[in-house]
Amino acid sequence: MNAWVLRAVGLGALTVVLRTLLGFAMVYWPTNGGWMRPLCLIVLVVAIVAWGYLDGRADRRAHPDPEHGTDLTMRWLKAAIAGGLGSGLVAWLLDFLPKFDLGDNGLLFELTAGASFIVLLIFVPGVIGVAAGRWLTGREHKKNGGAGAPAESVTPDPEPVSPEPAGV
């Protein structure tokens, strides 16, 4: 499976799960929405940044030279577009089921405005996580660069021995 497909499916599914949980919670505890919405947003952003960080760290370890790394921007952009459109479509379909309250948004809204928000919500924190992972791993590599090389043994120069004159 392509790396971007895995990210799109995983993060799109997490988005739908969080929207569904938020929908159920808003039905049963409508006065607690003030803290539940930001909590769901924080959970999603932390998951995205963490995954991006792991990507950046793995890429910097595989390619210590910054000029020869993998293009993770396109990987995250494709994952964000597919995750945003897929989560919007799945949320629209789930909204037809009884007891599911996901906002009663139309398909046009879910595939345009809703999906564009999710695309940005996946792409921007993902790229921030990649940059942080690359930067921190690069710093670690530079700091340990000398320590990772075998240390040269430092032996003092032997004192020169002056030849004794023969026959004195």
Side-chain angles (χ1 to χ4, degrees):
M1 183 179 302
N2 289 336
W4 67 270
V5 174
L6 179 64
R7 283 154 188 77
V9 170
L11 296 173
L14 180 61
T15 302
V16 171
V17 166
L18 289 173
R19 280 184 70 180
T20 304
L21 291 175
L22 184 62
F24 283 129
M26 293 303 294
V27 167
Y28 294 107
W29 304 290
T31 59
N32 293 324
W35 64 269
M36 285 189 280
R37 286 184 184 106
L39 178 66
C40 287
L41 185 65
I42 288 169
V43 167
L44 184 61
V45 169
V46 165
I48 294 166
V49 170
W51 204 338
Y53 175 80
L54 293 175
D55 272 356
R57 192 175 79 180
D59 182 58
R60 182 60 70 220
R61 285 186 177 163
H63 308 286
D65 182 19
E67 298 294 322
H68 296 97
T70 308
D71 186 14
L72 296 177
T73 305
M74 287 307 297
R75 175 183 295 174
W76 277 94
L77 182 61
K78 290 188 272 187
I81 291 170
L85 290 172
S87 68
L89 181 64
V90 170
W92 178 73
L93 290 171
L94 284 177
D95 206 25
F96 285 112
L97 296 175
K99 304 284 185 181
F100 277 81
D101 186 25
L102 299 179
D104 295 329
N105 297 320
L107 180 62
L108 184 63
F109 175 83
E110 289 290 352
L111 294 182
T112 55
S116 64
F117 176 71
I118 300 301
V119 166
L120 286 174
L121 192 62
I122 292 174
F123 180 68
V124 173
V127 172
I128 289 171
V130 166
R134 283 180 172 169
W135 183 69
L136 291 173
T137 305
R139 278 187 59 194
E140 180 182 301
H141 179 70
K142 286 179 186 176
K143 187 167 77 172
N144 296 335
E152 295 180 34
S153 62
V154 178
T155 57
D157 292 333
E159 293 182 23
V161 179
S162 60
E164 294 191 23
V168 177

